[in-house]
Amino acid sequence: MGISKRIALAATAALALTIGMAQAQEKTIKIATEGAYPPYNSLTSDGKLVGFDVDIANALCEEMKAKCEIVAQEWDGMIPALQAGKFDAIIAQMSITPERKEKIDFSKKYINTPAVIAAAKDSDIKGVTKEDLAGKKIGVQGSTIHYNYAEKVFTDSEIKSYPTAEEYKLDMANGRLDAVGDDAVTMGAWLETPDGACCKIVGTIPNMPEIHGDGAGVGVRKGDALADQFSAAIEAIRANGKYKEINDKYFKFDAYGS
């Protein structure tokens, strides 16, 4: 092949790459979050999505120089809707578990917090073992690691599944449950509200990697290069201080975890 032809081919390839990058930047990445899991994600009275996940999503998009749109999606249909192309990514405290990795891909983690059990302040529940909760009615949000753990471990208890965390909190506050299980941060935030004044945390759930996974990551469709792009952006905002700025807005500890 002549030199001139090789130069022409190289120029054509470079032009195609430039056009491809420009098109990628012009594409709007649609990101789903639940909108019912404060302080991570919730809807204001005027329908605006707010919370840690929303701020992290915006920071990652800014780092990637990408146009993004954040939308609300019910938790139960989150993965099927992603697979169907309703949106491009999930940033909604979705833990990176072996079961979910069979269906979708993930970025590296962007947060990792423990699970806890809460009960009424005057409850006789003293801990979080199977024996501590035997015969008790436990509320958890369905299709979560907390539900999976409760079903596997608390086999002598009645496990009640709820579509959202807000619904189990309502039943707990009204005395229809003996205990509830969830992430330590969302549980702690609830206990600081008037509705959560009923209850206290009775213990931290021991980590079970096959259920709890490796922290929460950004979920994308299988084979989507966005997973690597989000991973690089997570590393970048951890390094440049943006992650700490968002973290400190919501938490008094490093939510990234060990």
Side-chain angles (χ1 to χ4, degrees):
M1 184 184 296
I3 294 176
S4 60
K5 190 171 183 179
R6 287 200 297 269
I7 292 174
L9 287 173
T12 301
L15 178 60
L17 179 60
T18 300
I19 292 172
M21 291 176 64
Q23 289 174 338
Q25 289 178 346
E26 288 173 4
K27 177 190 173 185
T28 297
I29 300 172
K30 189 174 285 189
I31 300 171
T33 196
E34 184 183 6
Y37 199 54
Y40 296 120
N41 55 76
S42 59
L43 283 164
T44 62
S45 58
D46 59 354
K48 182 181 178 182
L49 284 164
V50 296
F52 176 82
D53 287 338
V54 177
D55 288 356
I56 288 292
N58 285 324
L60 294 177
C61 290
E62 182 178 350
E63 182 64 35
M64 293 161 58
K65 296 180 173 55
K67 296 178 183 178
C68 294
E69 176 188 359
I70 304 175
V71 298
Q73 166 67 42
E74 290 184 0
W75 178 260
D76 282 349
M78 193 81 72
I79 288 178
L82 172 67
Q83 292 172 320
K86 186 175 178 181
F87 40 80
D88 305 298
I90 297 168
I91 300 183
Q93 292 303 302
M94 184 167 282
S95 298
I96 307 166
T97 66
E99 180 182 1
R100 288 176 181 149
K101 285 167 72 175
E102 292 177 2
K103 301 174 183 177
I104 63 174
D105 285 344
F106 285 92
S107 72
K108 67 177 295 181
K109 73 167 187 176
Y110 67 90
I111 189 170
N112 192 7
T113 53
V116 297
I117 294 290
K121 286 182 175 176
D122 60 356
S123 173
D124 61 353
I125 297 172
K126 304 300 182 185
V128 298
T129 67
K130 175 182 176 179
E131 292 74 25
D132 288 324
L133 291 156
K136 305 297 186 182
K137 184 183 291 186
I138 306 170
V140 285
Q141 184 176 2
S143 302
T144 65
I145 58 173
H146 311 295
Y147 177 80
N148 293 343
Y149 182 88
E151 281 280 286
K152 182 178 179 66
V153 175
F154 302 133
T155 53
D156 293 333
S157 306
E158 179 184 348
I159 311 302
K160 188 170 182 182
S161 173
Y162 292 82
T164 69
E166 296 304 305
E167 289 167 275
Y168 81 62
K169 291 173 185 175
L170 182 62
D171 269 7
M172 185 68 210
N174 288 321
R176 291 189 284 266
L177 295 169
D178 298 305
V180 288
D182 210 329
D183 169 86
V185 172
T186 193
M187 193 75 79
W190 174 56
L191 296 181
E192 292 177 359
T193 69
D195 288 340
C198 61
C199 303
K200 64 182 179 180
I201 290 174
V202 296
T204 301
I205 295 290
N207 183 267
M208 189 177 286
E210 66 271 27
I211 291 179
H212 295 116
D214 304 311
V218 182
V220 302
R221 284 182 287 278
K222 278 287 186 181
D224 195 326
L226 277 174
D228 290 337
Q229 294 173 37
F230 277 116
S231 290
I234 290 166
E235 291 181 358
I237 67 170
R238 285 284 294 170
N240 65 22
K242 185 63 178 179
Y243 185 96
K244 186 178 188 305
E245 176 187 325
I246 297 170
N247 182 97
D248 293 353
K249 176 180 174 182
Y250 294 94
F251 314 125
K252 297 178 181 179
F253 57 93
D254 184 1
Y256 188 76
S258 58

